[in-house]
Amino acid sequence: MRVIVLLGAPGAGKGTQAPILAERLGLAHVATGDLFRAAVREGTALGIEAKGYMERGSLVPDELTVRMLLERLDQSDAARGVILDGFPRTATQALALDAALAGRGTGVERAPYIEVPREDLVARLGGRWICRAAGHPFHATLSPPQVAGRCDIDGSELYQRPDDRPEVVNARLGSQLAPLTEVVDHYRRVGTLTRVDGRQPVERVTEALLEVLEAPAAPELA
Ligand code: AMP
């Protein structure tokens, strides 16, 4: 099973790039944010527990998140491999993933990190619109849809995520950037991290990511 971890802050472009990479590489796209939003929509026990954290822009507790992710990895469409989008987000999650994968005789193959400065993240999240069907992201000015209010990919309605409101955006970045640094450090230490400049146009970022994922491992040295 190939496991690729796509790292980046909220708004860095993971949700744009992960489905493209998954399609190109024949892997399943697994986004923990999408799994949580589906659980909230369906009103499951997991959704009820996760909802408050998400509304405040906080991280959902590790134990709950890890359990959900590992169950998702057991589904048949993940057998060939996955692009993880939004997981791991803490060092504890990264270690739990390593342990679970080691138990399955595999490990994280590559961890490309889409880097975007904090100022840009605020602007990107503020203008973001997401499609109801699959969470495909658009931006009011940076990447508007061809038809206003409709997803270019599947035609479903676009909506603004409640946690993309300015007051929650700051809380999300405030609580999520520090643990992300620890996760980045983890993959740098084990030699699977590669940084990609996320300020480039979408297509250039895709090319850079594919280059990383198709090239033999060249670890960034400490
Ligand atoms: P996202 O769509 O990736 O921005 O995730 C939306 C929200 O879901 C986050 O702000 C968190 O509240 C929660 N979430 C998603 N992934 C994780 C994770 N790996 N660990 C903890 N919370 C998460």
Side-chain angles (χ1 to χ4, degrees), residues 24-157:
R24 292 279 284 270
L25 301 172
L27 304 173
H29 170 213
V30 172
T32 42
D34 288 347
L35 296 176
F36 280 130
R37 275 185 292 279
V40 169
R41 235 181 0 254
E42 289 157 18
T44 63
L46 173 77
I48 291 165
E49 192 150 1
K51 190 165 188 262
Y53 295 101
M54 295 172 75
E55 282 172 352
R56 289 192 298 278
S58 312
L59 291 176
V60 177
D62 287 331
E63 205 224 304
L64 215 63
T65 307
V66 168
R67 193 163 6 110
M68 174 183 76
L69 186 273
L70 295 182
E71 277 171 22
R72 178 66 186 86
L73 293 188
D74 283 336
Q75 289 176 17
S76 57
D77 68 320
R80 276 200 58 202
V82 287
I83 307 255
L84 297 184
D85 159 4
F87 184 97
R89 264 188 163 89
T90 65
T92 304
Q93 292 177 13
L95 293 172
L97 178 65
D98 286 350
L101 293 179
R104 296 161 198 229
T106 183
V108 171
E109 181 184 307
R110 309 287 301 157
Y113 172 31
I114 309 178
E115 274 191 301
V116 172
R118 181 171 175 149
E119 317 77 90
D120 296 22
L121 297 172
V122 175
R124 286 181 183 211
L125 291 167
R128 183 160 79 168
W129 290 79
I130 304 284
C131 88
R132 291 229 183 260
H136 296 126
F138 295 86
H139 189 279
T141 52
L142 301 173
S143 55
Q146 279 164 16
V147 177
R150 291 277 146 204
C151 176
D152 288 356
I153 299 158
D154 57 38
S156 71
E157 184 198 8

Side-chain angles (χ1 to χ4, degrees), residues 133-213:
H136 296 126
F138 295 86
H139 189 279
T141 52
L142 301 173
S143 55
Q146 279 164 16
V147 177
R150 291 277 146 204
C151 176
D152 288 356
I153 299 158
D154 57 38
S156 71
E157 184 198 8
L158 301 183
Y159 75 104
Q160 190 167 35
R161 276 173 45 177
D163 59 348
D164 280 346
R165 289 195 313 269
E167 57 288 12
V168 189
V169 163
N170 280 318
R172 278 165 75 200
L173 295 176
S175 63
Q176 299 190 19
L177 292 183
L180 172 66
T181 306
E182 288 180 25
V183 172
V184 166
D185 263 3
H186 172 80
Y187 292 111
R188 187 181 50 76
R189 277 198 302 274
V190 296
T192 45
L193 185 85
T194 309
R195 292 166 206 269
V196 167
D197 181 355
R199 291 167 305 179
Q200 308 174 84
V202 171
E203 299 72 28
R204 296 286 299 278
V205 176
T206 306
E207 277 167 27
L209 289 168
L210 284 170
E211 222 166 86
V212 169
L213 297 177

